[in-house]
Amino acid sequence: MNLAIKDIRHGLFRFVLTCLGLGLLMTVVLAMIGIYNGLVADALAVVKAPAADVWVVEAGTQGPFAEASSIPATTRDAVARMPGVAEAGAITYQTIEASHAGGTLRLYVIGFEPGRPGGPQRITEGRGLGRSHFELLADRKTGLVPGETIRLGRDRFTVVGLVEDAMNSGGDPAVYVTLADALTLQTAMDPAAARVQAARGDGGLRPPTVAAVVARLQPGADVALLTATVRQWKHLSALSQGEQEQLLLASVVDRARRQIGLFLGILLSVSAVVIALIIYTMTMEKLKQIATLKLIGAPDRTIVGLIVQQALILGISGLGIGLALILLVKDSFPRRVVLEPFNALVLTGIILMVCLVASGLGVRAALKVDPATALGG
């Protein structure tokens, strides 16, 4: 006969409620872990999308994500001719708001040259950009569907395909358009401003500029040598892919990441204390039953098994409920929630350790109880 299971059945309703409460607490912990991971994943999603080896940006800036960067669009041709470069593409980034479904949709518009680096690596639904104008690829989080149209600036664009997990560090979902359309959006001005520019004699036109040029290198090419060469050029700088990712995490999302990480640490500490108190209280409430067991000659290992097994069952049940709940609701969060198997394993280890420590305190109190207590009132 397993005394732990028998005792649980004796107070099943209370034990189930305790597990549900602990499960809700674990849901919050897992949600915070997922939000922390999602913040980092969202920040790096756009940087990793071009699968580039080198980023060429404006000199003196940490662009195009940490700071604004503006370089001539013709820089792409110069980079493409450099030794070791397999292919290069110009790219722009801008955030705009568009009307959609009776509301306002905030979009992160990425302009790229189809057939060159800069576009999404995988299209989950629909097709890629087939025309040079007025087509776009949208992230699923936008709510747009293939065949739908949306007005960006003064033109209407048709959604031809969908991608996933493409957004900026602020959580704004991305749309991909051709570089020509992105430059039109970037330089678009209202008719009054255009007339002023025309009166000045420049026709309202400006030389096209892009945020960056991304390059993929040939196998065996020296990334450090290429970036050092570009830095010698006037008005230009270069970053490797790793440097760009580190710069983004250190400058753009560092404060938010540290704040969420600190809150997660506090939440884990509070959860550990709550679990320990629950297990210790459960043990204290059974001291008379434990005294009865000692009175009838039950060995200490039976009492230890009762307390430790109940503590582990409580911890594992609460964690299981928390995992099930977060997996059900994580897609409803406005920001991406990313949970890795490693996160679940680490949290499981923490919960088991807390359960064992708390049950150890309970065992210490239980082994000290006097068997004569069972004969008291």
Side-chain angles (χ1 to χ4, degrees), residues 53-140:
D53 296 309
V54 172
W55 292 72
V56 179
V57 299
E58 182 181 354
T61 71
Q62 297 180 333
F65 305 105
E67 291 184 83
S69 170
S70 180
I71 60 177
T74 53
T75 304
R76 185 257 291 164
D77 295 327
V79 173
R81 290 194 295 266
M82 294 183 68
V85 175
E87 51 184 346
I91 193 167
T92 66
Y93 300 98
Q94 55 189 308
T95 301
I96 66 171
E97 291 186 348
S99 298
H100 175 66
T104 301
L105 190 60
R106 187 175 175 86
L107 300 172
Y108 191 57
V109 181
I110 302 174
F112 73 104
E113 301 173 278
R116 292 182 177 273
Q121 297 301 302
R122 188 170 69 94
I123 298 172
T124 57
E125 185 177 343
R127 60 172 175 83
L129 301 182
R131 295 166 51 191
S132 57
H133 293 287
F134 312 133
E135 289 186 344
L136 65 79
L137 301 169
D139 184 83
R140 286 190 185 276

Side-chain angles (χ1 to χ4, degrees), residues 7-44:
D7 187 63
I8 289 173
R9 288 176 179 172
H10 178 70
L12 184 60
F13 182 71
R14 182 178 179 181
F15 187 83
V16 170
L17 285 181
T18 304
C19 288
L20 286 174
L22 186 57
L24 291 175
L25 182 60
M26 290 299 98
T27 302
V28 177
V29 173
L30 288 165
M32 289 306 303
I33 294 174
I35 291 171
Y36 179 89
N37 291 340
L39 179 70
V40 175
D42 286 347
L44 295 179

Side-chain angles (χ1 to χ4, degrees), residues 16 38 42 44 67 111 145 169 201 207 214 255 278 297 314 319 346 365:
V16 170
D42 286 347
L44 295 179
E67 291 184 83
V145 296
S169 58
V214 292
R255 183 170 297 178
I278 290 174
L314 178 67
L319 181 61
V346 171

